[in-house]
């Protein structure tokens, strides 16, 4: 299993490469896909760097 540090670096690299592609001349659909990739990679990176239990985005609904 990869260490958190290596995974964090991998997500940063994904963001950097996707942002480079996004700046190039691309169709709207491609740019939207790249935007999704960047969003997912940033979210995963933010989750890994946050304190345990601090993310409430996926918490079960309280009834």
């Amino acid at each position: 299993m990869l260490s958190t540090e290596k995974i964090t670096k991998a997500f940063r690299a994904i963001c950097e490469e996707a942002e480079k592609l996004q700046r190039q001349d691309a169709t709207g659909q491609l740019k939207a896909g790249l935007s999704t990739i960047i969003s997912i990679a940033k979210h995963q990176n933010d989750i890994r760097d946050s304190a345990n239990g601090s993310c409430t985005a996926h918490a079960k609904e309280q009834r």
Side-chain angles (χ1 to χ4, degrees), residues 11-24 34 38:
F11 281 124
R12 281 191 196 130
I14 290 168
C15 286
E16 289 173 10
E17 293 303 315
E19 287 168 348
K20 285 178 192 175
L21 291 170
Q22 212 174 27
R23 287 190 292 269
Q24 293 179 1
L34 290 168
I38 292 166

Side-chain angles (χ1 to χ4, degrees), residues 29-47:
Q29 189 176 12
L30 179 58
K31 284 187 179 187
L34 290 168
S35 202
T36 300
I37 291 169
I38 292 166
S39 177
I40 292 168
K42 285 184 178 180
H43 174 75
Q44 288 298 315
N45 211 21
D46 290 346
I47 293 299

